[in-house]
Amino acid sequence: MLNALEVFTTVIVGLMVGVEFSVAFVMNRIFDALPEDSGQLGRAHGGRMLGAVMPVWYITSLVLSVVWAIAGRHHDGTGLVVTAGALLILSVVMSILLLVPINNRGKTWTPENRPEDWKEQMNRWDRYHYLRVAVIIAAFTLLVAALA
């Protein structure tokens, strides 16, 4: 049963990393290359769609890591899982404090109501997101290492 939990947790976190990596290095670059207001509209739609799904994914990943750490506390690799869990906590805190406030504003913007500094705010969100992606990649890497 523990093996199934370990693999399931690693897959869930890995898929989350893949989505967030894709947002950072694929989707946002596509949106930024679109003509006129299409990119801003795409980011707003992405903010609404992923803003509804990702909080559940982040919390589920964290909870699964905690369950793994508790269930496997007498096994090798528990320290790696605990550290991965701490990084996932950091990613949730970063999300709540840094990314969500910008996303909550950006997902309501249209070309008619967006603020003058909307591009600056999106660039700030991107910088924070790159950092968060690095944190969750590190957490995923630790979970993979704990499987060995």
Side-chain angles (χ1 to χ4, degrees), residues 16-40:
M16 181 178 72
V17 166
V19 169
E20 293 291 36
F21 186 90
S22 178
V23 167
F25 297 103
V26 178
M27 296 308 301
N28 284 346
R29 296 192 191 276
I30 290 170
F31 292 150
D32 291 345
L34 292 173
E36 299 175 19
D37 296 322
S38 299
Q40 185 264 308

Side-chain angles (χ1 to χ4, degrees), residues 34-105:
L34 292 173
E36 299 175 19
D37 296 322
S38 299
Q40 185 264 308
L41 292 170
R43 278 181 174 255
H45 180 68
R48 288 187 298 275
M49 188 179 87
L50 292 173
V53 174
M54 296 314 289
V56 174
W57 209 335
Y58 273 82
I59 297 301
T60 300
S61 296
L62 174 57
V63 168
L64 287 169
S65 296
V66 168
V67 171
W68 176 357
I70 292 168
R73 67 187 169 275
H74 300 297
H75 294 82
D76 291 337
T78 301
L80 296 172
V81 177
V82 169
T83 305
L87 290 172
L88 291 172
I89 290 170
L90 176 60
S91 73
V92 169
V93 170
M94 290 173 64
S95 297
I96 292 168
L97 295 179
L98 302 173
L99 290 118
V100 169
I102 298 170
N103 189 64
N104 284 344
R105 290 189 301 271

Side-chain angles (χ1 to χ4, degrees), residues 1-14 60-73 75 78 81 143-144 146-147:
M1 187 68 168
L2 181 60
N3 287 341
L5 173 65
E6 293 168 347
V7 170
F8 183 71
T9 302
T10 304
V11 168
I12 294 299
V13 174
T60 300
S61 296
L62 174 57
V63 168
L64 287 169
S65 296
V66 168
V67 171
W68 176 357
I70 292 168
R73 67 187 169 275
H75 294 82
T78 301
V81 177
L143 292 176
V144 170
L147 287 175

